[in-house]
Amino acid sequence: MKICRLLALARSLTRGRAAAGAIVPACLLFIAPPGAHAQRLPTNVVPVQYTLTLTPDLATATFSGVERINVNIEQPINSITLNAAELKFQSVIILPNGPRQTGAVSLDPDREQATFTFPHTLAAGTATLEIHFTGILNSELRGFYLSKADGHRYAVTQFEPTDARRAFPCFDEPAFKAVFAVTLIVPKTDTAISNGQIVSDTPGPSPSQHTLEFSATPKMSSYLVAFLVGQFQCTAGTSDNVSIRVCATPEKVAYTPYALSVAKFALHYYDHYFGIPYPLKKLDLIAIPDFEAGAMENFGAITYRETDLLLDAKTASVGAKQNVALVVAHEMAHQWFGDLVTMEWWNNIWLNEGFATWMETKTVAAMHPEWKMPQVVAGDEQSTLNFDAQPTTRSIRAPLANTPAEINQLFDDITYYKASDVLLTVENYLGPEMFQKGVHAYLTAHAYSNATAQDFWNAQTETSHKPVDQVMESLVLEPGEPILTFGAPSGGRVSVTQKRFFLNPDSTAPVDEKWTLPVCFKTGSVSEDCELLGPETTSLKAPQASLFYANAGGKGYYRSAYAPAQYQALVDQVETGLQPIERISLAGDEWARVRAGQATVGDYLNLAAALKADQNAEVISSALSPTGTINDELAATPEERDALAAWIRRTFEPEYLKLGSPSPNDSPDKRQLRANLFRVLGYFGKDPTVLAEANRITQQYLANPSSVEPTLGQTALAVAAEHGNAQLFDQLQNVYETSNNPEFQEGALRMLAEFENPALVRRALSFAVSGKVRNQDAAIQLAIALEMPESRQEAWDYIKDNWDKVQTQLTTSMGSILVEGTGGFCSAAARDDVESFFATHKVPAADVALKHAIEHIDGCIEFRRLQEPKLKDWLGAQGASQAAF
């Protein structure tokens, strides 16, 4: 399931602050609440096959179901407990090796369980449960729910992690794998999609219905079941003899071909990489109008937000193409990691999500080498390291996760991005071919079954004969990350110390944590020597190299610090001695040290200036993204912000002008580089030429999107929106309400939250909770407004004053995103106000988000205290130098 990218993508429209701040998580962090009670099922009954017939009534938003579950009873019992939520039971009978019995149903709503008690003991052996039940097509974007588009209704599903139980009674835990045979009785004007292929389509049972029977699935977990009903239309193709379809509502099917091309490439790539052919005969990718997550990896029937699957390749920005390609590749990787082999329990969900995140960039890099995906990975890693440098971070393998609330909070940056970065570290240590062999061994050993973290690292250890188990156990079980501090190399060795790193200098670890991990030294332009650092290691073999750099390739999961002479040499040779990925890593390390009070903000800005002429978009993006945080959190007066803006213009405007006007011959990276420089010059440089150009491009782009280079067009639109007037606001609102292009539609909506004019801020906030914005998006709009410094207080006051309206728009995950958004404040008074409000206005499943918000505010207060005077001094020195010049 892809959920972490949602808010990060929304923030990419708002000045790039996700990377800039680097302390606001893109998704929630899990901390088990005290006193949480386990809700695990007994293991004395094991499902073998479900035969499920469902009849949804879209007009009344209800459904009925008839289900037969073949089970193995492990020991004599009188009752069977499984999961069920928001279902009503008409009858339960069991057909064991004995007389037919009718079960009495007792419900435990808090545990989301149903227990069937029978008058006579059920003998050990096989039996069949037959259950008749009804349910509702809810509006909560989970379970079996209702979606609407263009006057039509759709019945769709989202089951991960614990919501299959809302659609049918089941053993809703990942280790209870079984076969699922689904039949859907639907209106004859609609079609249906499920995990298997349609094997029969017959009229009836009523004249207005037809019955679609689907082939049985492989053995899989209940959260991977999917069924969708409505007027879907599809674009079809094949890859490696597998039928692939990309489906959408009729008015948006024209935007499916791009995703189809990605899916065809990815399936062939995965067949080859994993050495195991895709297990099904068909693969459907379906865009759903109302969808809370980014996408969901249902076996053979992957579901998506429309913006994560649909686009017009002729008018799409580079970023939009990359996003669709990455999300498609991510979910398809799950067909092996997650569907074929599934984690035994949710505390190892990283085995699913970390692998899919790691594989998505590998696949897209192979398909589009011109996108320079390894640099994108390096940039993302900096944000992940900063996320992991918070006191309340957790280990990759969660210590506890039993209740649905606990499990839902595991889908965070640690599960997705830290796990992916750790896999990258291990792959670099072993070499790609050896690592691939270990992956194949792991998948082969556990196909159609479940696995643990130890299963994976043991497979890699046995294949490579290297201590992968020690490395991965250290990185997977320890929370946080180390900072490695290197002395000056001498006599072929270099001293090294390791310590847990925190962004907040006042934070300390409860114990003296130490890691075992490979440290790779740069030995040439693209060569490296890797040494294993252990808990007791005090020095490592140092290479004979002209430049000492201790994270060759930027693939190590750690922060680095150097002796003064070695660091200065790195800055002096940053463009000639380091590869682009290494420049990103060096800049990330230095910015993290600034946040931790170990370096000054001026040190960082000097490094950014040294990178100004870099021709790689991701290097410039990584170098410039902290300017947003500096502007918003450190520049305390208009004079300081003006001085910072003047430095940005002097330093980066010449580099922007060198790129010239957009050309059809520009590479994707050059287009992105131009947009990155345009954005920083417009937002923080307040460059009058760029601002005027933003307004001109915006009107041209809105009138005819194909007449403007898309990446620059959307960037110009975002810059123009910040200072935009009511006319531009009306234009964007009209695009959102009338366009069928998902990229344009969502982009216009997000930009409504960027206007600075107080009257337009209020319009945007009112529109977000008016019911005209889907509830999958409303909280994101409010969170963007909370993140913008100019609208933050206005947004917070509006939320408090209109809480009843706001609350009705919040789904489970979106409520947490709203609470998390309050972490943008930077004063003790605002912190106390946030705490006080949510103490009396509880948001379900948002207690952890509130803890993070408060932590972020406290971190900003400390950061400002440490670095604002140093920024003032540095800006003064820059001004004096410029005056002298």
Side-chain angles (χ1 to χ4, degrees), residues 321-526:
K321 290 179 180 179
Q322 287 180 351
N323 176 60
V324 168
L326 287 167
V327 179
V328 168
H330 180 101
E331 302 308 324
M332 288 182 64
H334 273 310
Q335 306 300 292
W336 287 263
F337 274 103
D339 297 5
L340 180 67
V341 179
T342 310
M343 76 279 148
E344 189 172 277
W345 184 247
W346 296 104
N347 63 332
N348 272 319
I349 183 59
W350 72 273
L351 284 170
N352 289 16
E353 300 299 349
F355 272 102
T357 303
W358 171 72
M359 280 302 303
E360 71 181 42
T361 53
K362 183 180 288 289
T363 308
V364 174
M367 186 177 186
H368 288 288
E370 73 278 10
W371 286 354
K372 302 182 180 180
M373 291 307 300
Q375 294 182 31
V376 176
V377 172
D380 288 343
E381 184 173 21
Q382 304 315 306
S383 296
T384 303
L385 284 162
N386 286 339
F387 181 87
D388 201 23
Q390 300 175 79
T392 51
T393 191
R394 64 170 177 86
S395 59
I396 291 177
R397 187 171 71 184
L400 175 66
N402 286 321
T403 69
E406 293 168 5
I407 293 165
N408 271 293
Q409 293 179 90
L410 292 177
F411 293 83
D412 63 5
D413 276 17
I414 300 301
T415 287
Y416 287 79
Y417 296 109
K418 180 178 181 179
S420 173
D421 292 336
V422 166
L423 293 173
L424 185 65
T425 296
V426 174
E427 182 194 33
N428 188 58
Y429 173 51
L430 299 182
E433 292 184 2
M434 183 59 68
F435 187 81
Q436 183 180 1
K437 290 180 181 178
V439 168
H440 176 77
Y442 165 79
L443 289 174
T444 301
H446 301 283
Y448 303 107
S449 187
N450 299 85
T452 66
Q454 289 87 342
D455 291 327
F456 177 75
W457 65 57
N458 287 342
Q460 290 289 354
T461 301
E462 292 168 6
T463 302
S464 67
H465 305 292
K466 286 189 175 184
V468 179
D469 51 350
Q470 298 177 39
V471 173
M472 291 204 70
E473 184 173 8
S474 174
L475 290 168
V476 169
L477 300 187
E478 290 284 356
E481 78 226 21
I483 182 168
L484 309 184
T485 302
F486 297 92
S490 177
R493 298 194 69 80
V494 62
S495 64
V496 58
T497 61
Q498 62 164 299
K499 182 180 180 180
R500 181 169 171 183
F501 178 76
F502 292 98
L503 285 180
N504 190 324
D506 292 337
S507 300
T508 57
V511 296
D512 186 20
E513 296 171 70
K514 301 291 184 181
W515 284 261
T516 298
L517 72 168
V519 177
C520 298
F521 296 102
K522 189 175 181 67
T523 59
S525 61
V526 293

Side-chain angles (χ1 to χ4, degrees), residues 586-657:
L586 179 69
D589 284 347
E590 186 66 5
W591 177 241
R593 294 180 66 243
V594 171
R595 301 242 27 155
Q598 299 176 13
T600 72
V601 65
D603 293 334
Y604 182 81
L605 291 171
N606 290 335
L607 175 58
L611 291 165
K612 65 180 181 180
D614 201 286
Q615 294 300 296
N616 296 279
E618 191 62 37
V619 174
I620 291 297
S621 176
S622 296
L624 288 179
S625 60
T627 57
T629 302
I630 294 169
N631 182 82
D632 298 346
E633 297 183 7
L634 297 186
T637 66
E639 291 77 18
E640 289 176 7
R641 288 189 285 275
D642 288 344
L644 179 62
W647 175 81
I648 290 171
R649 293 193 300 272
R650 289 196 307 272
T651 307
F652 294 101
E653 185 178 40
E655 306 306 322
Y656 169 72
L657 294 175

Side-chain angles (χ1 to χ4, degrees), residues 524-537:
S525 61
V526 293
S527 57
E528 61 187 51
D529 282 342
C530 295
E531 299 282 325
L532 196 64
L533 175 75
E536 306 304 321
T537 304

Side-chain angles (χ1 to χ4, degrees), residues 77-78 92-104 117-123 128-130:
I77 55 174
N78 286 92
V92 176
I93 63 171
I94 192 163
L95 305 169
N97 293 325
R100 169 191 178 113
Q101 297 189 59
T102 298
T117 303
F118 300 95
H120 304 291
T121 298
L122 304 174
T128 299
L129 277 169
E130 184 174 300

Side-chain angles (χ1 to χ4, degrees), residues 762-805:
R762 288 190 291 273
R763 276 188 62 186
L765 295 168
S766 296
F767 184 63
V769 298
S770 65
K772 296 179 180 179
V773 174
R774 296 181 187 274
N775 59 357
Q776 68 183 18
D777 295 312
I780 295 177
Q781 293 301 105
L782 300 175
I784 293 173
L786 284 168
E787 188 159 323
M788 302 288 287
E790 300 81 8
S791 61
R792 183 176 296 133
Q793 190 61 52
E794 183 81 37
W796 178 232
D797 290 341
Y798 181 91
I799 289 167
K800 291 186 295 182
D801 293 342
N802 297 273
W803 183 246
D804 289 343
K805 286 183 180 179

Side-chain angles (χ1 to χ4, degrees), residues 617 656 659-663 666 669-679 709 712 715:
Y656 169 72
L659 296 174
S661 300
S663 164
D666 287 342
D669 198 59
K670 187 174 182 178
R671 295 173 191 170
Q672 192 65 59
L673 175 61
R674 180 184 291 108
N676 291 346
L677 289 169
F678 190 96
R679 178 182 291 109
E709 194 282 304
L712 182 61
T715 302

Side-chain angles (χ1 to χ4, degrees), residues 556-569:
Y557 194 78
Y558 49 85
R559 291 297 188 191
S560 304
Y562 300 92
Q566 279 66 45
Y567 175 73
Q568 190 58 50

